[in-house]
Amino acid sequence: LLGEVKFPGTYPITRGETLHHVLARAGGLTSYAFPQGSVFLRDELREREQRQIDMLRERTRSDMATMALRAAAANQSGAVQAMSASESLLDQLQTAEAVGRLVIDLPGLMVAEAGSKNDIVLRNGDRLLGPKLKQEVTVIGEVQTNTSHLYSASLSAGDYISLSGGTTQKADRGRTYVVRADGSVVQKNSSWFSCGQG
């Protein structure tokens, strides 16, 4: 347990013990904690994610080789463009590292009884980071200025994009999304884009 926990540190666990129990043993979170932004990491998930990244990397390489052969044989500009996009994806995959994050509802877990549906049976190596309360919303991607803004409940995701100068010409507006502090992803058709929800 790291961060804004009253007694952070490494805790031994018994078989079947849950996060609710261990947090109670650690005295719970401090008054400065931001439970919605807590990060729960598991080694097993990180290893699985890394295998998926490695498989995607190999598949992308294979697809690129196939596209290169097709482009050379047919001299098609579309194949060349697709290959350029694949090269960009492969560049990203080369530096991608698995994290092993499990999206959890820590506020729900803390108010529910131990062993509830929100509780998590712990495994060796699990880690929980309780961050400090954050007050900013960061806008990145194809916007005029990648920047952070002070959070306001009255602002929508579109408002934050406007505060960053709006989208660029290369932006795919239909694929805009929000990554919440807990790691969950909200698509553009969600209500968060039309009303101020944290």
Side-chain angles (χ1 to χ4, degrees):
L1 302 178
L2 303 169
E4 293 300 321
V5 181
K6 288 185 179 173
F7 298 100
T10 301
Y11 287 79
I13 55 172
T14 58
R15 187 173 183 180
E17 192 166 15
T18 67
L19 182 57
H20 191 286
H21 286 120
V22 175
L23 266 176
R25 284 166 50 197
L29 300 176
T30 71
S31 58
Y32 300 104
F34 179 42
Q36 296 88 339
S38 295
V39 178
F40 185 87
L41 302 174
R42 176 164 282 173
D43 290 340
E44 180 183 326
L45 294 178
R46 181 180 51 78
E47 291 164 6
R48 187 187 310 162
E49 286 172 14
Q50 190 60 55
R51 286 195 298 271
Q52 294 295 324
I53 290 171
D54 293 343
M55 286 171 56
L56 181 56
R57 189 181 294 143
E58 290 308 311
R59 191 166 66 229
T60 302
R61 280 196 188 106
S62 175
D63 290 346
M64 284 176 63
T66 302
M67 281 188 283
L69 290 172
R70 287 182 185 164
N75 198 16
Q76 296 174 342
S77 61
V80 173
Q81 289 175 347
M83 196 162 125
S84 176
S86 295
E87 286 175 355
S88 175
L89 174 61
L90 186 58
D91 287 344
Q92 292 175 30
L93 288 172
Q94 298 288 16
T95 57
E97 290 185 16
V99 176
R101 183 174 185 177
L102 178 65
V103 176
I104 65 171
D105 176 14
L106 190 61
L109 180 150
M110 294 175 66
V111 297
E113 293 183 13
S116 70
K117 67 176 184 176
N118 289 328
D119 210 351
I120 300 164
V121 177
L122 294 174
R123 299 179 189 170
N124 188 37
D126 285 351
R127 295 175 303 286
L128 178 73
L129 170 63
K132 290 182 179 177
L133 181 64
K134 300 210 183 272
Q135 295 181 285
E136 70 274 1
V137 173
T138 301
V139 183
I140 57 174
E142 291 298 331
V143 290
Q144 300 298 334
T145 306
N146 291 294
T147 188
S148 297
H149 306 278
L150 192 63
Y151 172 74
S152 170
S154 65
L155 297 178
S156 69
D159 293 331
Y160 286 111
I161 291 171
S162 295
L163 287 171
S164 295
T167 57
T168 67
Q169 290 183 343
K170 295 191 294 184
D172 184 350
R173 293 173 186 84
R175 297 179 65 188
T176 305
Y177 60 92
V178 172
V179 180
R180 291 186 182 274
D182 66 2
S184 60
V185 177
V186 181
Q187 296 293 331
K188 186 173 182 180
N189 58 4
S190 165
S191 60
W192 200 92
F193 278 78
S194 57
C195 65
Q197 293 182 6

